[in-house]
Amino acid sequence: FVADEASVEKVKELEELQELQLDFWRGPGGQDVPIDVRVPFASLQAVKIFLESNGICYSILIDDLQVSALVDEEQTQMISHHFMPRSVETFNYASYHTLDEVTAGAHPLTRDPPGSESSIQIRGTKGWYPLHLCFSMQFSTGGAKRPAIWIDTGIHSREWITQASGVWFAKKIVDSYGKDPSLTSILDNLDIFLEIVTNPDGFAFTHTKNRMWRKTRSINSGSACIGVDPNRNWDAGFGGAGASSNPCSETYHGPYANSELEVKAIVDFVKSHGNIKAFISIHSYSQLLMYPYGYTRTQAADYQELVGSSSHPQVAALSSLYGTRYRYGSIITTIYQASGGTIDWTYNQGIKYSFTFELRDTGSYGFLLPANQIISTAEETWLALMTIMEYTRDHPY
Amino acid sequence: MQRRSAARLGPLLLLLLLPVAWGAGPEPPRADGELQVSSRLAGQAARVALHYLNYRLGSPSALRALGQVRKATVKTIPGIGHKYYLQFTTEDYKSSQNVGTCLATVLYLKRKPRPAVNINCTYTKDQKQTREDDYSFYKKLRQQTKPITGNDIPDSYGHIEPALEPAWALAVAGSSYLMWEKSTENLGYFMAQVKNVKQWITKDDSIDFDYLVILHEIPTQEMISCHLRVIWTPGHPLKVKYFCLSENQQSESEEGSGTESGSTNGIFNEEEANF
């Protein structure tokens, strides 16, 4: 979606650059009309740079158009390798990486052989942001707007175990398709969206200036303090108790709901997609699995189902691997009152299976979880995610 | 102050009030009774008890973290505050291995200074071994001719240089004092990182460290910087002084200064009549 006329003009400029050989499936129209462009691999870098320098946030979808037509098993194997960059074999999942490294490691297109194509959906933003990029990955075996599962990591930039786990999840999905019957059947019926570095500006800042940075890096007018808490910026009980109105605070909710690009991009996506069935937002630390609500003590209407059929099995699955103990409950009773939170909004949008995780540990290392725990954390968390994805697949609504 | 008859009706009240306790949110419970073991308030109170224990034991090899809360009840002491009765398991701070169970009471006073804690624990680690471990930490530190200095412990990647482990462990023990003092029913703390450490070589037989530590404050999510001075002799109470400032609040600066040494503090116990 292009949010303003200026951005529409910018994208039209792209059309003019014939040497890029861009194929606009749906050309730049007015505002709020998504623009789909097929970009030959050779032009990919140029397009990305153009978009980034003009403050346009985009999502990269991995949608191998060939998979949906595929029946031949041998070809399936080839395609799933085709997804992954050659660098994946050497990508070290057991260490923490910078933004560029994550992009290269998790983004299969940067190393794909020339001639391969992908589709890119472009969204616009208002104003200028020192944004590196905004991207989510789509894992799809075809269909149109299939029911989908959304997973995000890294919305709070200092929670490094989450982005590191997200990269591992991406590899796991691609590795498991065609091999693990459960994941294969999940992807044969649903799409998975994974956004690994949900707060890229914050993440970059944790590498360069302040390892403990949590918020976005947006400028707050009238204040010397920077950043908004992206998990207080959603339109669910926005501005109520459980968030701060002080820009200097770590839980500053922002000037208005969805003021943050990082949040708006997801909101727009969820609304336009219209068929997300499970939404999982991942944080650290504390070892918790939580469901709505955070902003109110009112119990979620689907409370029984969220507890009995879902939370409990998820936590049991997670523990089964290394014995890691999680508590679960609603946000407000388990951790604290928090308004304007992600899954409160997604739940109110009708996404019944809305969950949030707080990964390892319980405070000894906290945000500074040793890198030697990345893989075990990702593995156990994946079991919980598989549980919720299977449940979503088996309980369509 | 006369004790209220509410205490005698305790068990009866418990039954009636359970449904209310279930809905208890993050604010201090308005009704007495049993808490969900998964509730934030129960966990928070248990951690306060452990801060106190870690400080009082003053043993870098025997630091404990919260395992699981097994049972939690809360009682209102009129005019005084809320008293938590807790049973919880503990883990070794570093290895997360289970090391025993504790029974504790934590009394949050309406008037500060700090929560009153009474705690008794079983300890499954070999106590002779931990004493020896403490002593070998101590010897290593005493043998320093050049003072130990360091930054960012653990570093961004969660790594702690082995040579700096004793300094880090002492920071946890010293921070425990500070976190115990600062904790309220609603504000809890974790020691996030040692930003800076500098050892003072002393002429007596104590170990002396100057720290800048970062505390993670819940639920505000703020990172609080505190200067900490820790003086340690194994087998003796830890001596801790501190001074904190709040990084992000430019308008307010939190200052706290505790200058008591452990042994002269006295042990807080259940005698509400003292308050």
Side-chain angles (χ1 to χ4, degrees), chain A residues 250 285 327 335-336 364 368, chain B residues 38 40 93 158 216 221-222:
Chain A
E250 294 282 20
Y285 56 94
R327 292 182 288 129
I335 198 167
Y336 42 64
S364 301
L368 307 178
Chain B
S38 63
R40 171 178 89 98
Y93 195 87
H216 179 207
Q221 295 291 343
E222 300 296 329

Side-chain angles (χ1 to χ4, degrees), chain A residues 96-97 158-160 206-207 210-214 224-225 229 232 246 248-251 285-286 288 297 299 303 325 327-329 332-337 362-365 367-372, chain B residues 22-27 30 36-40 47 65-68 89 91 93-94 98 153-160 168 190-193 214 216 218-223 247-250:
Chain A
Y96 292 110
H97 293 276
R158 62 191 179 197
E159 298 165 7
W160 277 18
T206 59
H207 279 279
N210 182 352
R211 174 63 176 83
M212 298 298 185
W213 191 261
R214 164 189 171 88
C225 293
D229 185 342
R232 299 289 186 280
N246 179 353
C248 299
S249 163
E250 294 282 20
T251 56
Y285 56 94
S286 283
L288 305 170
R297 264 180 236 126
Q299 259 175 21
Y303 159 76
R325 268 181 267 107
R327 292 182 288 129
Y328 62 88
I332 197 170
T333 58
T334 309
I335 198 167
Y336 42 64
Q337 183 170 26
T362 54
S364 301
Y365 288 92
F367 300 123
L368 307 178
L369 193 72
N372 63 21
Chain B
W22 176 267
E27 293 159 9
R30 274 162 278 163
Q36 277 181 275
V37 294
S38 63
S39 88
R40 171 178 89 98
R47 268 189 209 96
L66 178 63
Q68 281 180 294
T89 63
E91 298 176 343
Y93 195 87
K94 271 211 78 192
N98 187 294
I153 312 159
D155 67 15
S156 290
Y157 310 93
H159 176 72
I160 299 176
W168 176 75
F190 297 91
M191 194 196 85
Q193 191 181 40
I214 310 227
H216 179 207
I218 303 281
T220 63
Q221 295 291 343
E222 300 296 329
M223 307 307 286
E247 269 185 3
N248 289 327
Q249 312 290 34
Q250 288 164 356

Side-chain angles (χ1 to χ4, degrees), chain B residues 25 37 66 89 107 111 118 123 155 179 186 225 240 250 262:
Chain B
V37 294
L66 178 63
T89 63
L107 172 61
R111 279 177 234 295
N118 197 300
Y123 192 51
D155 67 15
M179 294 189 287
N186 273 312
S225 295
V240 184
Q250 288 164 356

Side-chain angles (χ1 to χ4, degrees), chain B residues 192-209:
Chain B
Q193 191 181 40
V194 173
K195 245 355 228 172
N196 194 270
V197 58
K198 184 179 178 311
Q199 182 183 14
W200 296 101
I201 307 286
T202 61
K203 294 197 182 76
D204 61 29
D205 52 3
S206 67
I207 301 294
D208 194 335
F209 277 113

